[in-house]
């Protein structure tokens, strides 16, 4: 019995050394998935803020929508969280820029011949960047994150 115990002493260390790379790989994959979900949630919330801002300020008397006058402020709000723009490196998502955000007015007529209800649609895209570049195998197959939010323009 004593001889059997001596042969088993190093077995736990060997098993741990075999399993450790798989455990680390799973932990990194879970961390990357969490980062991706966090970044998608941030993107979604930022686009909702942008469409809410435009729906409040872009509608003119008479019901017309003037997105162009507020486009830059909306893009800054979506990307930086502030209508005045970003200071260096203060984007909500790393490496994100205002050229990935756009807005359009979408007129909707619910009943033929009825009134047109103005909607504003904001779309933004973001490219997920892996935390560990060495493990970026397959990331080129991940599509860009894209969010589109449509909201009714508020009347004056």
């Amino acid at each position: 019995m004593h001889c059997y115990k001596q042969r088993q002493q190093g077995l736990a260390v060997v098993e741990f050394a075999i399993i450790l790379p798989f455990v680390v790989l799973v932990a990194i994959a879970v961390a990357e998935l969490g980062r991706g979900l966090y970044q998608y949630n941030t993107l979604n919330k930022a686009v909702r803020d942008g469409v809410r801002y435009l729906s409040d300020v872009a509608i003119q008397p008479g019901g017309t929508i003037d997105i162009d006058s507020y486009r830059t402020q909306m893009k800054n709000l979506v990307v930086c969280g502030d209508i005045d723009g970003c200071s260096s490196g203060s984007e909500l998502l790393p490496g994100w820029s205002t050229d990935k955000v756009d807005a359009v007015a979408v007129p909707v007529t619910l009943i033929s011949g009825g009134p047109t209800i103005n909607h504003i649609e904001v779309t933004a895209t973001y490219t997920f960047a892996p935390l560990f570049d060495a493990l970026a195998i397959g990331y080129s197959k991940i599509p860009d994150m894209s969010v589109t939010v449509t909201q009714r323009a508020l009347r004056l």
Side-chain angles (χ1 to χ4, degrees), residues 58-109:
I59 194 152
Q60 304 299 309
T64 61
I65 293 179
D66 180 18
I67 290 178
D68 292 331
S69 297
Y70 301 98
R71 187 179 305 273
T72 301
Q73 293 172 338
M74 179 275 304
K75 286 182 174 191
N76 288 337
L77 179 64
V78 171
V79 173
C80 308
D82 186 1
I83 61 173
D84 295 326
C86 298
S87 58
S88 180
S90 65
E91 299 87 7
L92 295 174
L93 295 170
W96 200 19
S97 64
T98 56
D99 62 333
K100 301 286 187 175
V101 181
D102 201 15
V104 295
V106 182
V108 177
T109 304

